[in-house]
Amino acid sequence: MIHVKLFGTAGIRGPINEKVTADLALKVGKSLGTYIREGRVTVARDARTSSIMLENALVSGLLSTGVEVVELGLIPTPALAWSTKQLGDAGVMITASHNPPTDNGIKVFNGEGIEFYLEQEEELERIIFSGEYKRAAWDEIKNIRRRDIIDDYIDAVLDFVNHETRLKVLLDEANGAGSVVAPYLLREMGAKVITINAHPDGHFPGRKPEPRYENIAYLGPLVKELGVNLAIAQDGDADRIAVFDEKGNYVDEDTLIALFAKLYVEEHGGGTVVTSINTGSRIDKVVEDGGGKVYRVPLGQPHDGIKRYNAIFAAEPWKLIHPKFGLWIDSFVTMGLLIKLIDESGKSLSELVKEIPTYYLIKKNVKCPEEYKKVVLDMAQHELQKALRDEIKEVLTISGFRFNLIDGSWVLVRPSGTEPKIRVVVEGVTEKRKEELFKLAYEIVSKAVGRLKQSGQV
Ligand code: MG
């Protein structure tokens, strides 16, 4: 039997009616019901044109195994995760997050609201490929319950954030699922909210669903024109958040993480912060200054890190987790706490950003055939270690390799998980340092690829 991998780093995702089909959703439903054997599964969806189709197929599959289904309708992913912890033994979100409108996907959560671990996804795949599904007897088939949890979720976030504000906020929801939560949440907090792209529409007529700077640059001038204190932009399923300050400047994603890391460490008088391998030294600097410690984990595995290191805060770029509220990425808690942070500091967001140290980042890819990747990484690590030997403070090898240097600069060389490329990322404490380290690392990696190609090795 051909075993095609269904789950990637963010669940199942791909073009609708090609990779992601109603048939596949039915199988995932049957497989998940078989896996948990009994209990309740919460199901929700984003605003995509294909989400209802996939949801219905998935729910049929779940019901055929005898589990109970709670349908939550169109809500953001963090609200599904929270609801699963309250109501379910597992949860499913139909979403392709920030992908184009032509895609969709399926993300599975456990009863704590944590995305399924790799082993759990592999078990779902195994059941699908074996075809050994549980089949409920006629009198064991359960009903669907429908619940509107939006108000309860907003109340939970309000309780946790515990703050009233008078700030003016510009909110760009990308016509995604965040439209049904963010404006209401912020208004409940007292904020004056101006929305754009804030009605759900699976065609994403306003802008692309990914809130990377190029897609939302227009918010900068709007911030100034409207005189707001900050702008917040979200992705299609609203777990991600991007921010502009009151001057219309985009807040770099590492800086946003550093702001919260600093806040948590100061509140706790220390503690551990978990972040991914691709984030910068400004986070280490503020955490160490506050008496805390940073641990880095592979992309997509912050939950493991939180448990292992008992972290008070965890984040990947744009994806912030507040463990005291829940072990999922929660953009709504993030926006509430960010407003609280601005108010309580008595400063503007741009002033807060200025307190975070600036470093200089560059990233570029080197093309590298899949079969050369491992050897290239080994060669490059060896040579770069030789070249930098007296400057290295710490070597991390959880995904490719990363050299943290004594002066706070760092070099990361890691294989792309999805493309025939090796990523070279350098952050320097000065512009000049960035340039010289990047030139060194990029040349070493390019030469290693060239040498292998020439010799026809591997
Ligand atoms: Mg997302």
Side-chain angles (χ1 to χ4, degrees):
M1 189 192 308
I2 305 165
H3 190 124
V4 186
K5 216 171 146 26
L6 298 172
F7 287 87
T9 45
I12 293 172
R13 214 182 274 181
I16 196 70
N17 279 345
E18 288 174 34
K19 180 183 174 187
V20 180
T21 60
D23 185 50
L24 177 62
L26 179 75
K27 286 178 181 164
V28 173
K30 290 200 286 187
S31 170
L32 178 59
T34 304
Y35 177 74
I36 67 165
R37 306 296 302 171
E38 57 187 4
R40 230 190 236 175
V41 180
T42 52
V43 179
R45 62 170 194 274
D46 70 9
R48 286 166 192 271
T49 57
S50 54
S51 290
I52 289 181
M53 174 189 88
L54 294 177
E55 182 186 26
N56 280 310
L58 179 107
V59 168
S60 293
L62 285 167
L63 292 173
S64 74
T65 66
V67 299
E68 199 181 315
V69 170
V70 185
E71 275 190 2
L72 303 171
L74 197 170
I75 57 172
T77 297
L80 176 273
W82 177 83
S83 304
T84 306
K85 192 177 174 195
Q86 319 301 315
L87 304 169
D89 300 291
V92 183
M93 185 73 194
I94 306 287
T95 181
S97 188
H98 57 269
N99 282 35
T102 45
D103 284 5
N104 212 334
I106 303 170
K107 213 181 234 189
V108 186
F109 293 78
N110 70 20
E112 280 183 88
I114 303 175
E115 286 167 41
F116 254 32
Y117 294 103
L118 203 63
E119 309 84 69
Q120 293 176 300
E121 290 180 340
E122 280 168 2
E123 185 56 20
L124 291 186
E125 282 185 359
R126 196 198 60 73
I127 296 168
I128 290 173
F129 289 110
S130 75
E132 288 162 6
Y133 301 113
K134 184 183 167 206
R135 291 186 202 191
W138 70 274
D139 57 352
E140 286 170 1
I141 295 169
K142 304 284 196 305
N143 266 325
I144 299 172
R145 292 201 208 177
R146 295 197 168 84
R147 283 279 305 267
D148 179 353
I149 56 84
I150 291 175
D151 288 343
D152 293 344
Y153 172 67
I154 288 177
D155 282 345
V157 177
L158 286 171
D159 271 357
F160 184 75
V161 172
N162 190 22
H163 179 70
E164 277 183 32
T165 186
R166 305 189 64 163
L167 293 188
K168 229 172 142 182
V169 185
L170 172 61
L171 204 52
D172 181 344
E173 289 300 326
N175 299 108
S179 307
V180 303
V181 167
Y184 306 95
L185 169 74
L186 297 189
R187 284 190 188 116
E188 285 279 333
M189 284 179 66
K192 174 142 180 36
V193 181
I194 302 170
T195 58
I196 49 177
N197 305 323
H199 65 281
D201 184 337
H203 298 89
F204 297 102
R207 66 159 162 92
K208 289 181 182 156
E210 183 170 15
R212 60 166 59 238
Y213 177 73
E214 304 86 89
N215 293 342
I216 52 174
Y218 58 81
L219 289 173
L222 265 184
V223 160
K224 282 192 276 183
E225 212 173 298
L226 296 166
V228 295
N229 300 95
L230 74 160
I232 294 170
Q234 297 212 264
D235 68 332
D237 66 328
D239 56 347
R240 265 165 73 156
I241 178 171
V243 176
F244 287 74
D245 70 21
E246 82 289 352
K247 292 184 171 163
N249 295 316
Y250 178 76
V251 179
D252 175 273
E253 47 270 24
D254 280 355
T255 299
L256 188 67
I257 296 173
L259 277 173
F260 278 94
K262 185 169 182 268
L263 175 74
Y264 275 109
V265 169
E266 281 172 359
E267 265 178 20
H268 284 78
T272 57
V273 168
V274 164
T275 185
S276 49
I277 193 73
N278 58 342
T279 60
S281 293
R282 62 196 72 185
I283 301 165
D284 305 62
K285 177 81 171 84
V286 297
V287 169
E288 281 161 22
D289 285 353
K293 174 117 184 72
V294 174
Y295 289 97
R296 282 203 164 68
V297 296
L299 272 165
Q301 296 179 21
H303 318 98
D304 292 331
I306 293 170
K307 292 207 160 158
R308 192 170 334 134
Y309 302 115
N310 193 23
I312 51 172
F313 173 61
E316 291 181 4
W318 298 289
K319 301 174 177 176
L320 284 68
I321 300 177
H322 307 273
K324 233 179 167 178
F325 183 72
L327 296 175
W328 52 87
I329 299 158
D330 203 306
S331 61
F332 301 100
V333 169
T334 302
M335 61 179 82
L337 289 180
L338 180 62
I339 286 170
K340 186 178 184 176
L341 173 64
I342 296 169
D343 280 334
E344 288 187 346
S345 71
K347 296 171 187 163
S348 67
L349 181 52
S350 69
E351 287 169 332
L352 285 169
V353 164
K354 238 186 261 160
E355 293 172 4
I356 304 294
T358 308
Y359 296 89
Y360 301 86
L361 187 95
I362 180 166
K363 28 184 163 179
K364 223 169 151 183
N365 300 320
V366 179
K367 276 192 191 156
C368 176
E370 201 58 46
E371 63 270 26
Y372 288 5
K373 278 181 182 174
K374 206 189 156 320
V375 184
V376 168
L377 283 168
D378 285 347
M379 288 165 71
Q381 183 177 352
H382 181 73
E383 286 196 31
L384 204 56
Q385 192 145 10
K386 228 167 47 185
L388 294 171
R389 58 183 175 275
D390 298 331
E391 303 173 49
I392 298 172
K393 181 174 124 191
E394 188 183 17
V395 181
L396 303 174
T397 53
I398 49 185
S399 169
F401 62 89
R402 172 167 164 153
F403 294 155
N404 289 337
L405 306 181
I406 290 161
D407 72 349
S409 306
W410 53 275
V411 180
L412 168 68
V413 180
R414 71 178 182 93
S416 161
T418 49
E419 295 170 290
K421 285 173 187 168
I422 288 187
R423 304 196 193 284
V424 181
V425 188
V426 169
E427 196 178 50
V429 287
T430 61
E431 190 78 44
K432 185 166 163 273
R433 188 81 170 120
K434 174 194 89 176
E435 292 299 334
E436 70 189 31
L437 284 170
F438 181 74
K439 186 164 179 283
L440 176 73
Y442 194 82
E443 270 180 24
I444 285 178
V445 175
S446 305
K447 276 186 188 158
V449 175
R451 277 214 300 276
L452 276 183
K453 277 188 178 162
Q454 235 173 21
S455 68
Q457 275 181 34
V458 184

